[in-house]
Amino acid sequence: MASRRCLAALRLRLRPLLLSSHHTQNPLPLTFTSSSAAASSRFTTSDPFSSLRRHFSSSPPPTSDGSDDEEGEESEDEEDDWIDEGDNAGSKRFVQSGKTEEEKRKEAEEIGYRVLGRLDPSSENPFKPYEPVFAVVEIGSHQFKVSNGDSIFTEKLKFCDVNEKIVLNKVLMLGSKTQTIIGRPILVDAAVHAVVEEHALDAKVIIFKKKRRKNYRRTKGHRQELTKLRIIDIQGIDKSEALAAAA
């Protein structure tokens, strides 16, 4: 409603000016006099719509010299500086929001593993002959009974990549044909070495919820992220007696 009133008032004000300019070939210029010559030359115009324009002291009309170009260049430089500062600030925020190597190491040890580094297939042979030794390890909240050469699927280990060597340091029990060692709760000197083979997704599980006589049905799917580990060595138990008993 207010916009219609504004348009009506503007139409009423502009109508006599448009009619006068249409009937007369040389319309009289609109001149605003001022005490100074510079001000009179600035505001003297022959445009019939000049009475509706405003000139503010903070943004004077453009001049013919090159001062505007210099100001434009300065403003562009200021914008570039501001963008650079923003990028630096964003990178700093990203670094602060991420975890440091020490925090990653502590979190991995709480889960039950430690990353050693990349596996070099040219100089290392991860596949060793079978040894009649087993170990019970804890990864996260799950326990696994493993032997040399076994492959297991665990919940995704966040801070390790494919073909990296890791050590499972939460060993609960070691055993062979001749002896059994039980930890209280873990064995400090025992370790199980493994290699990360792949990160995969488990089969889809369908979650269906229903409430009878309430028109309530919900269906969702979930695929658990998994990490496949290959056990390459078990340390902390005497293997000579086990090999002799196996022979």
Side-chain angles (χ1 to χ4, degrees):
M1 191 67 183
S3 60
R4 292 181 180 178
R5 291 177 181 177
C6 294
L7 290 174
L10 187 61
R11 191 183 299 111
L12 291 175
R13 184 165 184 177
L14 292 179
R15 185 174 181 181
L17 297 175
L18 294 174
L19 292 175
S20 61
S21 62
H22 177 71
H23 291 293
T24 61
Q25 297 181 356
N26 297 322
L28 295 176
L30 299 177
T31 305
F32 298 88
T33 59
S34 177
S35 58
S36 61
S40 63
S41 62
R42 178 180 298 178
F43 295 104
T44 301
T45 178
S46 60
D47 188 4
F49 301 98
S50 61
S51 60
L52 302 177
R53 297 178 181 175
R54 295 182 180 180
H55 297 281
F56 300 96
S57 59
S58 59
S59 58
T63 57
S64 59
D65 55 357
S67 59
D68 293 339
D69 299 336
E70 296 176 357
E71 292 178 357
E73 293 177 357
E74 292 178 358
S75 62
E76 290 178 359
D77 296 339
E78 292 177 358
E79 291 179 357
D80 295 340
D81 297 340
W82 180 80
I83 292 172
D84 295 340
E85 292 177 359
D87 294 341
N88 295 333
S91 61
K92 290 180 182 178
R93 284 195 297 270
F94 178 75
V95 171
Q96 291 176 359
S97 63
K99 295 183 179 180
T100 61
E101 295 296 331
E102 186 67 20
E103 293 175 351
K104 292 180 180 180
R105 185 183 62 80
K106 288 182 179 180
E107 187 172 348
E109 288 182 354
E110 290 178 359
I111 296 173
Y113 71 98
R114 185 176 74 255
V115 180
L116 297 180
R118 300 285 296 181
L119 176 68
D120 188 7
S122 60
S123 60
E124 300 180 62
N125 183 16
F127 301 102
K128 297 180 180 180
Y130 174 75
E131 297 173 350
V133 177
F134 72 91
V136 177
V137 296
E138 182 179 358
I139 305 174
S141 58
H142 301 277
Q143 297 179 4
F144 303 89
K145 179 183 177 182
V146 297
S147 297
N148 186 20
D150 291 349
S151 61
I152 58 175
F153 285 91
T154 68
E155 293 185 359
K156 184 177 181 181
L157 306 180
K158 296 184 290 185
F159 308 121
C160 60
D161 296 330
V162 179
N163 292 333
E164 281 191 344
K165 298 182 294 183
I166 64 173
V167 176
L168 307 177
N169 46 25
K170 287 187 178 181
V171 182
L172 306 179
M173 186 174 67
L174 291 174
S176 64
K177 290 186 177 182
T178 57
Q179 62 176 339
T180 301
I181 306 174
I182 301 175
R184 298 183 178 180
I186 62 174
L187 298 172
V188 180
D189 298 332
V192 176
H193 293 256
V195 176
V196 180
E197 288 193 347
E198 64 173 332
H199 295 293
L201 294 175
D202 198 2
K204 181 177 286 188
V205 179
I206 303 298
I207 301 99
F208 179 73
K209 299 180 181 180
K210 178 184 176 181
K211 296 180 182 179
R212 62 176 184 173
R213 297 191 299 273
K214 301 296 182 182
N215 195 20
Y216 179 85
R217 293 176 179 84
R218 299 291 184 271
T219 303
K220 291 184 179 180
H222 173 71
R223 298 189 67 184
Q224 179 65 39
E225 294 181 338
L226 301 176
T227 298
K228 184 179 179 180
L229 302 178
R230 177 74 64 177
I231 307 301
I232 59 176
D233 192 14
I234 297 175
Q235 297 178 356
I237 189 171
D238 189 8
K239 300 177 183 180
S240 59
E241 297 179 0
L243 293 175

